[in-house]
Amino acid sequence: VASRRARGRPGEFALIDRYFRPLARDPGAFGLTDDAALYRQRPGDDLLFKADMIVAGVHFLADDPPGSIAKKALRVNLSDIAAKGGEPFGYLLSLALPADWTEDWIGEFAKGLAADQKEYGVTLLGGDTSLASGGVTVAVTAVGRIPRGEMVLRSGAKPGDAIFVSGTIGDAALGLRVRRGELPGGGKGAKHLLDRHLRPQPRVALAPVLRRHASASIDVSDGLVGDLGHICDTSGVSAELEAARVPLSRAARAVLAAQPDLLPAILNGGEDYEIVATVSEREAGAFAADAKAAGVPVARIGRIVAGKGPPTVVGEDGRRLRIAARSYTHF
Amino acid sequence: VASRRARGRPGEFALIDRYFRPLARDPGAFGLTDDAALYRQRPGDDLLFKADMIVAGVHFLADDPPGSIAKKALRVNLSDIAAKGGEPFGYLLSLALPADWTEDWIGEFAKGLAADQKEYGVTLLGGDTSLASGGVTVAVTAVGRIPRGEMVLRSGAKPGDAIFVSGTIGDAALGLRVRRGELPGGGKGAKHLLDRHLRPQPRVALAPVLRRHASASIDVSDGLVGDLGHICDTSGVSAELEAARVPLSRAARAVLAAQPDLLPAILNGGEDYEIVATVSEREAGAFAADAKAAGVPVARIGRIVAGKGPPTVVGEDGRRLRIAARSYTHF
């Protein structure tokens, strides 16, 4: 049930010592030498917790660069913390490795984490390593802080609210197709799409803007239409989305011009890690201005309407588009 | 990269709705309908975080009862929180399932969690489900509360301190051998050992006693000698352990009488989820009395000594026993 240590590779403790201890920079992590991490509360804060796991062959490909896998595992969690208006502080990591792991792989994986710790101001708080029963499996729990009572929920959207989305939508879903060799062409466009698939960019800079202005928000992981649908469900409202207003990258626009049937994959392909927020009409201008000041492009893409049910997606000709529910799940 | 939903089985959202939402009883978990859990701090508390993952074929066998797997995944984390003097409050769960998962399996798994939530007073705060790349993988992050400044570290042991251990040692390691068909005999003894392997009993009742009296503590997951060695390392001390004083169950004593060569496996086999604590001589009597009052049997098994290095284990004849470092790791 346990595995003998392979010759010439460091054991579990040596590995933690060499690659993960340097990441545990908070004094409460005790350099990973104790059984649990200590978090001293700061008055006036609430905490946010989020756990998400990524699995080889399900959320990434086994031969993706180890640093990208590490960053993706961390960032998908930071994205959720940001979408709630929180500021990520630390994370715990459970890493399961296949029997043929190499020290090089671990080194690259840890280097990816180190870079992201710097970029996002987070620290490793604890975790464990284990042999996997299949491919690499990375489970992260992120911890964020938020001023007391200011969490932005899914449930606050009201009829008449404007719907905004950050960044561009559809790149990651197209990037996955590039990765699989399913999209013809290449060059700069393909590189951009692939990069968006491999390296999600959590919108942590938008968090304070959401706290100030948003009535509801969610990060776009399952797909824009589906995730907006979660806001609708939880808020007891519906939504109208104008497909032509959904911001697309130049690369995605080029793909769409060549293959118009990819519109649903773009609008609801998922893994964008952008943020959809609803904002009252009165706050819409200030939200857009503050987002711009925070360096995050946002676009107004529709509005919340009374009623219940999934969002209606309207095409350029004013006709309703049928965007199927996700044709697959991660499960 | 994603899997089509198998016919006749609920999708990811339906599954969460049916089996996991009822476990998310804290208002801050929002019935698992939001992106993150909210934790409102209580003044005067510190928080403890612990993440540990268990994997089919590594920490349990794929055909173990699903409820046992769930309980083990949760309890190994609660054990660490308890060893630090903390009171577990909630947990996040990332569950990866093989392609042939069944709804019955999930139902039994969730039932195991529900029973333990009641037993230990914890609640599900969030998490996710995913397809596994191999067998079942369960990653849990536990959150505990502790009165500010009272965490019991590994690093506080001092020469002269008494060493105590809770419960009995070696049962789980022998239970694994029963499970594998490596131990002859059967009956009540085998059943007890197997049960100790499948269902660790975290010593949450000992937490307040540790806070009051212990200079250092750790839960016994890697093995009694090895885990006491972690206290020695971190505290900059060494230890003398009297093998004959280590408390054994009737079943373990019977096995040991028949196979004396199993002593190292008993003393350092791991997965006991008991607690080793060091206590100053002045506090030793009060510690033992308070532990008894809390319903947790504890036994004095040795003392901390000056110097550095792993614990010395002394046999009944006063000779030093050689207990090899763990012959395997989980990695």
Side-chain angles (χ1 to χ4, degrees):
Chain A
V1 174
S3 65
R4 286 184 182 278
R5 185 183 306 175
R7 284 169 198 285
R9 293 194 306 194
E12 185 177 1
F13 296 127
L15 204 75
I16 290 169
D17 203 45
R18 209 170 293 168
Y19 295 104
F20 295 106
R21 185 158 304 158
L23 301 174
R25 304 180 71 89
D26 187 76
F30 304 104
L32 306 181
T33 64
D34 217 306
D35 302 73
L38 175 68
Y39 179 79
R40 176 134 301 171
Q41 305 184 28
R42 299 200 313 190
D45 280 350
D46 288 334
L47 289 184
L48 299 173
F49 302 131
K50 171 68 189 184
D52 219 337
M53 174 191 255
I54 66 170
V55 177
V58 183
H59 306 88
F60 61 90
L61 302 179
D63 59 347
D64 281 347
S68 294
I69 297 170
K71 288 177 177 186
K72 186 164 195 171
L74 184 58
R75 291 178 182 194
V76 299
N77 284 282
L78 302 185
S79 179
D80 282 299
I81 299 287
K84 303 291 98 183
E87 271 141 35
F89 156 73
Y91 64 102
L92 297 100
L93 168 74
S94 289
L95 173 62
L97 293 167
D100 62 352
W101 65 271
T102 65
E103 198 174 347
D104 274 359
W105 194 97
I106 308 269
E108 290 301 314
F109 184 88
K111 213 183 274 179
L113 290 177
D116 267 15
Q117 292 200 178
K118 222 167 183 177
E119 178 151 2
Y120 298 105
V122 295
T123 176
L124 179 63
L125 293 171
D128 73 315
T129 52
S130 167
L131 199 66
S133 82
V136 172
T137 300
V138 195
V140 167
T141 298
V143 182
R145 294 170 173 138
I146 188 162
R148 184 165 181 149
E150 296 192 15
M151 179 178 179
V152 184
L153 302 174
R154 291 185 185 175
S155 56
K158 298 218 164 23
D161 284 357
I163 302 168
F164 285 90
V165 71
S166 65
T168 59
I169 292 295
D171 297 330
L174 296 178
L176 175 58
R177 284 173 166 75
V178 172
R179 185 88 173 81
R180 286 171 170 168
E182 293 171 8
L183 269 192
K188 228 169 127 183
K191 196 172 165 299
H192 172 76
L193 299 174
L194 189 59
D195 189 66
R196 289 272 285 165
H197 165 64
L198 289 176
R199 270 176 291 277
Q201 306 275 348
R203 293 295 189 177
V204 292
L206 200 60
V209 184
L210 294 167
R211 291 203 301 272
R212 263 198 303 278
H213 303 296
S215 56
S217 65
I218 189 171
D219 84 321
V220 185
S221 52
D222 291 337
L224 174 61
V225 182
D227 285 318
L228 178 57
H230 291 319
I231 286 185
C232 292
D233 282 350
T234 321
S235 298
V237 296
S238 190
E240 285 174 8
L241 199 67
E242 293 179 61
R245 287 178 177 262
V246 173
L248 304 186
S249 68
R250 180 181 301 207
R253 281 201 307 272
V255 170
L256 186 62
Q259 301 187 51
D261 58 309
L262 283 179
L263 182 62
I266 289 171
L267 290 184
N268 212 25
E271 304 214 303
D272 299 292
Y273 300 103
E274 297 293 349
I275 290 174
V276 181
T278 64
V279 184
S280 75
E281 195 56 62
R282 219 173 36 134
E283 303 265 335
F287 174 81
D290 286 2
K292 193 175 172 190
V296 181
V298 295
R300 187 169 172 158
I301 57 171
R303 64 189 188 101
I304 296 294
V305 297
K308 287 191 177 181
T312 305
V313 184
V314 181
E316 279 192 90
D317 56 2
R319 286 214 198 163
R320 187 171 171 175
L321 298 176
R322 297 181 67 93
I323 305 289
R326 285 194 303 171
S327 56
Y328 56 84
T329 71
H330 281 132
F331 193 72
Chain B
V1 173
S3 65
R4 284 184 184 279
R5 183 183 306 172
R7 285 172 197 283
R9 293 193 308 195
E12 185 177 2
F13 296 128
L15 205 74
I16 290 168
D17 203 45
R18 208 169 294 168
Y19 295 104
F20 295 107
R21 185 158 303 158
L23 301 175
R25 304 179 71 90
D26 187 75
F30 305 104
L32 306 181
T33 64
D34 217 306
D35 302 73
L38 175 68
Y39 180 79
R40 176 134 300 170
Q41 305 185 28
R42 300 200 313 191
D45 279 351
D46 288 334
L47 289 185
L48 299 174
F49 301 131
K50 171 67 190 184
D52 219 337
M53 174 190 256
I54 65 171
V55 177
V58 183
H59 306 88
F60 60 90
L61 301 178
D63 59 346
D64 281 346
S68 293
I69 297 169
K71 289 178 177 186
K72 186 165 194 171
L74 184 56
R75 292 178 181 192
V76 299
N77 283 283
L78 302 185
S79 179
D80 282 299
I81 300 288
K84 303 292 98 183
E87 270 141 36
F89 156 73
Y91 65 101
L92 297 98
L93 169 74
S94 288
L95 173 63
L97 294 167
D100 62 351
W101 65 272
T102 65
E103 199 175 345
D104 274 359
W105 194 97
I106 307 271
E108 291 300 315
F109 185 88
K111 212 182 276 180
L113 290 177
D116 266 15
Q117 292 200 178
K118 222 168 185 177
E119 177 151 1
Y120 298 106
V122 296
T123 176
L124 179 63
L125 293 171
D128 73 316
T129 52
S130 166
L131 199 66
S133 82
V136 172
T137 301
V138 195
V140 166
T141 298
V143 183
R145 294 170 173 139
I146 187 163
R148 185 164 181 150
E150 296 193 14
M151 180 178 178
V152 183
L153 302 173
R154 290 185 186 175
S155 56
K158 298 217 164 27
D161 283 356
I163 302 167
F164 284 89
V165 70
S166 66
T168 59
I169 292 296
D171 296 330
L174 296 178
L176 174 58
R177 283 172 166 77
V178 172
R179 185 87 174 82
R180 286 172 171 165
E182 293 170 9
L183 269 192
K188 228 169 128 183
K191 197 171 165 299
H192 172 77
L193 299 174
L194 189 59
D195 190 66
R196 290 271 286 164
H197 166 65
L198 290 176
R199 270 176 291 277
Q201 306 276 349
R203 293 296 189 176
V204 292
L206 200 61
V209 184
L210 294 167
R211 291 203 302 272
R212 263 198 304 277
H213 303 295
S215 56
S217 64
I218 189 171
D219 85 319
V220 185
S221 52
D222 292 336
L224 174 62
V225 182
D227 285 318
L228 178 57
H230 292 318
I231 287 186
C232 292
D233 282 352
T234 321
S235 297
V237 296
S238 190
E240 286 173 6
L241 198 67
E242 294 179 60
R245 286 177 177 263
V246 174
L248 304 186
S249 67
R250 182 181 299 205
R253 282 201 308 272
V255 170
L256 187 61
Q259 301 187 53
D261 59 308
L262 284 178
L263 182 63
I266 289 171
L267 289 185
N268 212 25
E271 304 213 302
D272 299 292
Y273 300 104
E274 297 293 349
I275 290 175
V276 181
T278 63
V279 184
S280 75
E281 196 56 61
R282 217 173 37 130
E283 302 266 335
F287 174 82
D290 286 3
K292 193 176 172 190
V296 180
V298 296
R300 186 169 175 158
I301 58 171
R303 64 189 188 101
I304 296 294
V305 297
K308 286 192 177 180
T312 306
V313 184
V314 181
E316 279 193 270
D317 56 2
R319 288 214 194 163
R320 187 171 170 174
L321 298 176
R322 297 181 67 92
I323 304 289
R326 283 194 305 170
S327 56
Y328 57 83
T329 71
H330 281 132
F331 194 70

